[in-house]
Amino acid sequence: MEKMIYLDNAATTKTAPEVVEAMLPYFSEAYGNPSSIYSFAGKSKAALDAARQQIADTLGAKREEIYFTAGGSESDNWALKAAFEAYKQKGNHIITTKIEHHAILHTCEYLEKMRGARITYLDVDENGLVNPADVEAAITPETILISIMAANNEIGTIEPVREIGEIASRHQVLFHTDAVQAYCQIPMNVDDMKIDMLSSSAHKINGPKGIGFLYIRKGVKIRSFIHGGAQERKRRAGTENVPGIVGYGVAAQRAFTSMKERTEKEIQVRDHLISRIRNEIPNCRLNGDPVKRLPNNVNVSFDFIEGESVLLMLDGLGVCASSGSACTSGSLDPSHVLLAIGVPHEKANGTLRMTISDETSMEDVDFVADHLKKIVERLRDMSPLYQDFLKKNKNV
Ligand SMILES: *Cc1c(COP(=O)(O)O)cnc(C)c1O
């Protein structure tokens, strides 16, 4: 195979070899059910405890506050639905934002339509930042939950989680954050940031797919999500995904200990790619905050062209990236996130998201920038919109 340049690490990441290696014995040798009492099963039970501890340590949490799930979407569903159920005596109001992942937004829609919830979807500024003052102003006596993402998966904006946690705590409202993109990319501590619940997913940090966790602070009265056996302190039934959990523990520890060095390197590569695009390709805009930004995220809109066409041409060169559509497969609706930060419809359609990893080199992004320049030129040459723009500009 030709060399592939993988720039879609916000969609998923490669499972690290040491993660795979740590998982393997739990498929074939130590396959016991952690709930069984013979000593053979004790190995699986011990592995679960160890992974739970590894993860708790990355967040300043307690081991018994980590609940394993099948991924980020399940954690988000659980946090919202079960908190709504548990606290509905107090009220029915939830505060979130317009730029959340669909695992949050579609769950909110469900709660609104089917369960009588009232949801406030906060606006964000042109860089995608939530204003903590808006969060505070939206709180009413009926507010039971604030759910605001730690960092956005499309434009990479890092939200003021600490300030929001402070406000939630002062008003005694539960605070949940979808940290699927932020976890182990930026330092996070559940006590410092006054987080009550936090969602995460292994496959975004070089762990396996289909495993995640929900951090639930001790004392939060959240309901069980899956009913059945007594696993996960009776809150999430079902025989544990032991290999997945072991893999997640190793992936979390690995990503946590390498965070500083890894993200410093990523920021250099990211900024090099951003500056080459901004300096060499006219009529484009960087989406998301230039500074409060995930180390791996580049998101640009190119005027006059379709992001999908850019993607296809990059794919022909072995470059994997993502577009600004709500859903890359099929839907051509522009992303709700780009619309929320004020990117007009037609410009949103010309959006490209490239999310690097610590394996992405300067040479890789130089290759991409060189070709991107030519691709954008070529597509603009074929674009009637661009020809109109050129004509108009000649006349003024
Ligand atoms: C990927 C992602 C999710 C969903 O996680 P899965 O493990 O794929 O279900 C949720 N929120 C954000 C911000 C994400 O990036």
Side-chain angles (χ1 to χ4, degrees):
M1 198 174 96
E2 254 184 82
K3 183 179 152 85
M4 178 180 85
I5 300 180
Y6 183 76
L7 302 182
D8 203 14
N9 287 281
T12 197
T13 59
K14 172 163 88 181
T15 311
E18 61 264 46
V19 170
V20 176
E21 197 158 316
M23 292 171 71
L24 287 176
Y26 294 93
F27 289 105
S28 48
E29 292 152 35
Y31 55 82
N33 187 322
S35 303
S36 305
I37 55 166
Y38 35 78
S39 48
F40 173 56
K43 273 190 106 165
S44 308
K45 176 79 175 62
L48 284 189
D49 290 344
R52 216 184 292 279
Q53 189 65 55
Q54 282 172 315
I55 288 174
D57 289 346
T58 63
L59 286 169
K62 299 182 190 70
R63 191 166 78 184
E64 62 273 19
E65 294 174 320
I66 303 297
Y67 295 82
F68 289 109
T69 66
S73 300
E74 182 185 321
S75 298
D76 284 346
N77 270 260
W78 185 8
L80 265 57
K81 290 175 184 169
F84 183 75
E85 282 276 308
Y87 288 83
K88 66 182 173 206
Q89 314 296 8
K90 187 188 165 201
N92 68 343
H93 182 225
I94 296 173
I95 299 170
T96 187
T97 76
K98 290 186 177 162
I99 62 164
E100 299 297 311
H101 190 274
H102 282 142
I104 295 289
L105 289 179
H106 290 166
T107 304
C108 283
E109 279 166 31
Y110 160 79
L111 290 172
E112 236 173 349
K113 287 196 184 117
M114 310 300 287
R115 311 304 294 272
R118 193 170 76 74
I119 316 271
T120 298
Y121 299 92
L122 294 175
D123 285 318
V124 293
D125 75 5
E126 70 279 7
N127 288 335
L129 282 168
V130 177
N131 182 349
D134 292 347
V135 178
E136 186 151 34
I139 296 174
T140 74
E142 280 73 48
T143 307
I144 51 172
L145 177 67
I146 295 169
S147 178
I148 294 179
M149 67 198 327
N152 184 269
N153 48 303
E154 290 188 36
I155 57 174
T157 300
I158 298 169
E159 300 298 344
V161 172
R162 186 185 303 271
E163 287 83 347
I164 296 167
E166 196 67 52
I167 290 166
S169 155
R170 199 163 352 104
H171 290 267
Q172 296 185 1
V173 174
L174 284 185
F175 176 39
H176 165 256
T177 188
D178 175 341
V180 174
Q181 291 292 333
Y183 178 60
C184 290
Q185 296 285 0
I186 57 170
M188 296 194 77
N189 180 293
V190 289
D191 287 340
D192 291 352
M193 296 177 153
K194 301 197 163 45
I195 294 165
D196 295 307
M197 294 185 280
L198 178 148
S199 301
S200 164
S201 180
H203 75 100
K204 303 287 175 82
I205 59 159
N206 304 102
K209 293 170 180 59
I211 184 79
F213 70 80
L214 181 64
Y215 158 81
I216 307 175
R217 179 178 293 283
K218 205 168 165 230
V220 170
K221 280 189 310 183
I222 193 166
R223 296 286 164 84
S224 308
F225 194 54
I226 308 275
H227 304 279
Q231 293 91 354
E232 301 297 300
R233 302 164 68 83
K234 297 190 184 157
R235 283 172 150 181
R236 202 277 188 183
T239 301
E240 299 88 344
N241 173 358
V242 179
I245 290 170
V246 167
Y248 200 1
V250 174
Q253 191 178 46
R254 177 184 174 276
F256 182 72
T257 50
S258 68
M259 181 161 29
K260 188 165 182 292
E261 203 185 346
R262 175 171 45 86
T263 55
E264 275 170 6
K265 182 187 168 222
E266 284 179 3
I267 286 171
Q268 281 187 354
V269 176
R270 175 197 75 185
D271 289 348
H272 180 65
L273 179 56
I274 290 175
S275 71
R276 281 211 54 191
I277 293 172
R278 288 177 122 179
N279 293 336
E280 298 175 35
I281 305 181
N283 302 305
C284 68
R285 89 166 233 172
L286 176 72
N287 299 309
D289 196 280
V291 180
K292 292 170 190 156
R293 182 177 201 94
L294 285 175
N296 68 355
N297 178 287
V298 178
N299 185 307
V300 254
S301 298
F302 301 102
D303 292 354
F304 318 116
I305 58 175
E306 295 286 338
E308 304 285 322
S309 316
V310 181
L311 276 192
L312 290 177
M313 293 172 85
L314 285 175
D315 184 38
L317 297 161
V319 178
C320 309
S322 162
S323 78
S325 304
C327 163
T328 320
S329 51
S331 164
L332 284 178
D333 289 339
S335 114
H336 63 286
V337 177
L338 295 173
L339 296 181
I341 61 170
V343 180
H345 244 261
E346 70 283 4
K347 291 194 187 199
N349 281 332
T351 301
L352 185 67
R353 180 188 72 180
M354 294 175 281
T355 41
I356 62 169
S357 76
D358 57 338
E359 291 187 0
T360 312
S361 66
M362 286 289 186
E363 290 73 40
D364 290 339
V365 297
D366 275 328
F367 176 87
V368 172
D370 289 344
H371 284 277
L372 198 52
K373 216 167 117 176
K374 292 183 208 150
I375 290 171
V376 172
E377 256 169 42
R378 214 150 95 219
L379 290 170
R380 281 181 178 164
D381 282 343
M382 300 188 290
S383 155
L385 286 173
Y386 188 56
Q387 303 312 322
D388 281 354
F389 167 79
L390 288 181
K391 263 185 229 146
K392 273 187 207 136
N393 271 28
K394 240 180 239 159
N395 295 338
V396 286

